[in-house]
Amino acid sequence: MRFTRIPGWLLLTIGLIIGVEFLLRLPAVQRMLPDPRPTLWHAQLIQHKIDYLTTYAASHTVNVLFIGNSTMQAGVNPTVFDTVRKKAAGAGSFNASIEGLPPKGMLLFLKIYLRQLQPDVIVYGLSPQDLNANSPWAKDVTDRVFSSPLALAAAKEGWQGQLLALLYDHSMLFRYRFVLLKMIMQGGNYPPLPEVYFDRRGYHPIERVLADTPEAQRRSYYNRAGVMNYAVEGEQMTAFDELIEYVRARGIQLILVNMPIADEYYENFDSPDDYDLYMAALQASSRRYQLPLWDLEGDALHTFGPREFADFNHLNIRGAQRLSDELAERFNRLRASEAVVGHRP
Amino acid sequence: MLFNSLEYVVFLCIVLALYYSLRHRGQNIMLLIASYVFYGFWDWRFLGLMLLSTIIDYSVGLALDRTQQPKLRKLFLIASICANLGILGFFKYFNFFIDNAERILHAAGLGFSAPTLYIILPVGISFYTFQTMSYAIDIYRGQLKPTRNMLDFALFVAYFPQLVAGPIERASHLLPALQRARVISAEGVTSGLMLILIGLFRKVVIADTVGPQVDAIFSNPSAQSSPMLLMGVMLFALQIYCDFAGYSDIARGTSRLLGIDIMVNFRQPYFAADISEFWRRWHISLSTWLRDYLYIPLGGNRYGEFNTYRNLMITMLLGGLWHGASWNFVIWGGLHGIYLSVHRLFRQLTGEKVGRGVAQPWGLGRILGIALTFVLVLLAWVFFRSPGLNASLAYLRQLFSLQNMAELPSVLPAILVPWSLALLVDIPQYITGRQAAMLAWRKPAFNVAVATMLFLIILGFGNRSPFIYFQF
């Protein structure tokens, strides 16, 4: 047995680690390298969103935070919302939604957000795919979020998160390791990130109009994966409850919003009853935790039409303008009726 | 629990600490519990399914041993095969067959609407059902005596290092190793650790790093230039090899730490000089299983040329389908079936002997053979990786349109660097025929190689992606 070799390779490895750690601490070296940004495979710009939130929170009191998936990211324009709602000077809202994230992943990122700010209200926009226990997409995204060391480190989630956060805080090698590996594997190149498609307040404006979309393209908007074999149970429902309790425990009011969907979206469901299952679950949570539930899909007075959608479940700029207006007015009415923030735990 | 995760490191340390402190029987009991815990990490609900498969084949094994009546023995064997294929068929292929039946009947003008069930594919089911089936078949053929120890058999089915993605072990090899007391040698531990290091290097450093590029290219091939599509398929060939071979290395390394040798699953397949040699080097445990339990029982090459080609095609089509309930896997298998048939025909026309590729000396002929085989395998990978036939054909059309070839120099480093790293491991293995070939290197070279691999693993560790073959 060649145990005599162990010191040699071990010493070399330790030497490499220390040497690279030292080099990475040199500002000149750091300037030569791309920023070590945490990304998710389907949402590469997550760090931009966190950075934008940090920047905005430095000059404003973020007292309303919007969270949810891509439907919320494209559905609420904080600038419009803040224009209509009554607010104190210096206060502002931010759209911290992240595409694809069901409640379990959203909870992790909410923990990251709430490490740096304390909003009065969180508005959580939900769509049917968020609560489906059998969505392979939600499972895949959740698995990958919880396999992302930098996301776990930022949220300090679990013992692994604590350990990773410690490494992140104290080791440049840990911070830069994926950057270095990618650069090595690509022969010194580093793949550029996509262009940032959301604005400085996290809103993703989409210009496309569903009503003007050719039929062939419209067909590509059908997406059964999110709502197939619809069932409201399992880890996403559990995480949804955890998220509500987490927010309430911090003295923050939570408002649930059922996001509007186009008529064609219903064709994705296996059965017409599936949508009712989703609504029943939302209503049950709203009752159990005494949370306001604003149903922007079921409210016949505020039906959104194909000129306000970009596809079957994302609002375009016009739709987002209307939804943001509507949310602000409801928000004003809620504030007026409660006089002070209600339903605090 | 993934091999490339912190949980597995902790799990393995606990298992090894307990294992080394126990005697043989205690070791087997502990390994069985550990294997069920390991499997339960994915989904404990499917432990029952594995237990069912275990009980059926254990009982069938004993029943086959007890009776000499051919009819009754056949009946027991059929029961075992039906039970195993039934479990596999339901969990893996039910919706596939129902969907296709619906389409065919619909095309024939018959209205038929069957419910689509939401069925979760239990991880590792394709591997352990094949393993237990081969146990019953071997006993039926008189090639194996059944074990009377239920615990040993349960461990043979659930043995955690190779449970979820193989190698598909044979009872004649693994059972005796589980039944006898193991000797833990320093040599075994060293080579086991070396294999784990190589496996992690392949998986964490190579497969997981090129994976996102492959995903991006295959998700929208029509938007890519020809050099990018070349990169996509070249990197996928590398990804799937390093992912699966990496898993097998870690499985074998882990098992060696336990004093148990499991079979080699990959022998540098991209050095194959012909397609038949490729299949003797790629996923060896599956290809030998298909040979022994499908191709040969179908008649192999014993009943004339037509039947031989038919058997080859059936074997490869079913081998493709084994990978998943999707037509793209069937097409992939069919393509390899055609390759093998054409190769066989070519051999007959030229009078070349079977298996010459392995023995063929290095020279221009062998290099051309390796290049041609590699190109054919690459073409087949496009069908394996794309979501369907149309997508595969569109990918190939775009690739061969040779658009924007000026991009090639900028794309080349991203192809060459990962391939070079993979070859740095493969070439010594190929030359020496030893998977842990690096152990024989001189000290400075060995130290530099291990330290570099370890350092690169540290850079990539934690960015864990599931092993591709878990889904099969």
Side-chain angles (χ1 to χ4, degrees), chain A residues 151-172:
Chain A
L152 291 176
K156 300 195 175 175
E157 179 75 4
W159 67 269
Q160 278 197 47
Q162 298 286 344
L163 177 68
L164 294 171
L166 196 75
L167 284 168
Y168 187 82
D169 289 343
H170 295 99
S171 166
M172 282 296 158

Side-chain angles (χ1 to χ4, degrees), chain B residues 19-82:
Chain B
Y19 188 80
Y20 293 150
S21 62
L22 290 166
R23 286 174 185 278
H24 173 231
R25 279 288 122 203
Q27 285 179 337
N28 279 11
I29 293 169
M30 190 278 297
L31 275 184
L32 182 62
I33 295 168
S35 298
Y36 287 155
V37 169
F38 179 82
Y39 193 78
F41 255 78
W42 271 286
D43 204 327
W44 57 269
R45 291 173 299 176
F46 293 120
L47 274 171
L49 208 59
M50 192 161 56
L51 276 174
L52 180 71
S53 195
T54 304
I55 291 166
I56 289 170
D57 284 293
Y58 175 74
S59 312
V60 166
L62 291 179
L64 281 170
D65 195 44
R66 271 193 212 112
T67 178
Q68 295 308 315
Q69 288 181 37
K71 275 188 178 171
L72 204 56
R73 283 172 62 80
K74 202 168 214 170
L75 202 67
F76 284 133
L77 180 69
I78 289 170
S80 160
I81 292 174
C82 285

Side-chain angles (χ1 to χ4, degrees), chain A residues 79-95:
Chain A
T79 311
V80 174
F81 178 80
D82 283 344
T83 313
V84 179
R85 70 147 169 160
K86 295 185 179 75
K87 63 177 183 71
S93 61
F94 188 89
N95 192 334

